[in-house]
Amino acid sequence: MQRVARIIEGDTAPRQAVVLSACRGVTDALLNLVAMAERQDAALEDRIEELRQRHVNTARELISGELYDEFVVDLDRDCRDIAGILQTVRLVRAASTTLRDLIAGYGELWSTRIFERLLRARGNAGRVLWLDARRVLLVEWGPLGPGVRWEQSRANLGQLVPADFTGTVVVTGFIATDTQGLQTTLGRNGSDFSASIFGSLLNAREIVIWTDVDGVL
């Protein structure tokens, strides 16, 4: 995240948007929680705490003081919500697609909340805006996957990001809202798709995809 912050700060563009995915492996870990609840695995609470502690440790390395405290409050609330949702799954031993999407989307909320606070901690306070994609992207699922309702999505964005805003908008990748008002996702690797969508919605001059891959340079 420090590297990403330096990349952003090195760009002279007055207006940028940064779309983040979850931290590595977190989406899979969240979906595994759903599977554990379905089979009534006794270790479920321990796995939730492990995910919580991973993000607490990441936040502690990057931010401090009030920014850190704010993040932990939000994180703890989310973990309580996850535990409550999964208790229902544990009782009925089955999870709907909507519930899976709800749980899977927490990783992007956590990564972007940390990163937005990191940018503020690095001296960018007042020039950083956190944007929950669920409040912007309206999609309708069809045979070829999620289709964006562009007109409504543009209208939603206009209400949340001022036209004259200068600075960095930190956007949650992967997640959206469907036409029934329920949280959904854009499918695996959906954060790259989110970046392309927001590039269009924000009339971006260019879209740059950064990723980490295994290999030798």
Side-chain angles (χ1 to χ4, degrees):
M1 286 193 179
Q2 294 280 21
R3 291 178 61 197
V4 174
R6 290 194 294 270
I7 290 169
I8 293 167
E9 292 166 350
D11 193 317
T12 59
R15 178 179 166 109
Q16 302 176 74
V18 184
V19 180
L20 269 65
S21 64
C23 295
R24 180 175 295 178
V26 169
T27 301
D28 286 337
L30 287 164
L31 288 172
N32 186 53
L33 294 179
V34 179
M36 292 178 70
E38 288 179 317
R39 63 177 183 264
Q40 299 183 325
D41 193 315
L44 178 61
E45 286 78 11
D46 291 339
R47 299 293 87 77
I48 295 174
E49 178 56 27
E50 287 175 5
L51 265 177
R52 175 192 176 276
Q53 195 58 50
R54 175 179 174 182
H55 287 84
V56 165
N57 292 341
T58 299
R60 186 180 291 118
E61 287 188 32
L62 296 171
I63 54 180
S64 60
E66 186 175 338
L67 293 174
Y68 170 80
D69 293 339
E70 289 174 353
F71 172 76
V72 173
V73 168
D74 289 342
L75 176 66
D76 287 345
R77 180 198 62 228
D78 290 345
C79 288
R80 288 192 298 270
D81 289 346
I82 290 171
I85 294 167
L86 294 180
Q87 176 60 23
T88 301
V89 175
R90 174 182 275 166
L91 292 173
V92 299
R93 301 191 180 189
S96 66
T97 298
T98 298
L99 190 146
R100 291 178 192 278
D101 284 349
L102 177 62
I103 296 295
Y106 277 102
E108 280 71 19
L109 294 173
W110 297 336
S111 64
T112 52
R113 285 174 184 158
I114 293 175
F115 188 70
E116 180 262 344
R117 288 175 170 85
L118 171 61
L119 289 181
R120 284 199 274 155
R122 291 171 64 95
N124 298 292
R127 299 187 66 251
V128 182
L129 176 65
W130 182 74
L131 186 62
D132 185 342
R134 297 173 299 182
R135 299 183 63 193
V136 176
L137 291 188
L138 182 67
V139 302
E140 183 172 17
W141 277 86
L144 299 179
V148 180
R149 292 287 189 90
W150 291 101
E151 184 176 349
Q152 186 59 54
S153 296
R154 289 186 190 278
N156 293 341
L157 182 67
Q159 294 176 2
L160 297 172
V161 181
D164 59 352
F165 174 78
T166 57
T168 302
V169 183
V170 179
V171 186
T172 55
F174 185 54
I175 55 178
T177 297
D178 68 17
T179 52
Q180 296 180 342
L182 301 174
Q183 179 175 320
T184 188
T185 71
L186 301 179
R188 298 312 299 262
N189 300 313
S191 291
D192 287 357
F193 187 20
S194 296
S196 299
I197 294 170
F198 274 95
S200 177
L201 291 175
L202 292 165
N203 298 314
R205 184 179 61 196
E206 64 177 351
I207 301 168
V208 181
I209 305 294
W210 292 80
T211 187
D212 284 328
V213 297
D214 295 332
V216 178
L217 181 63

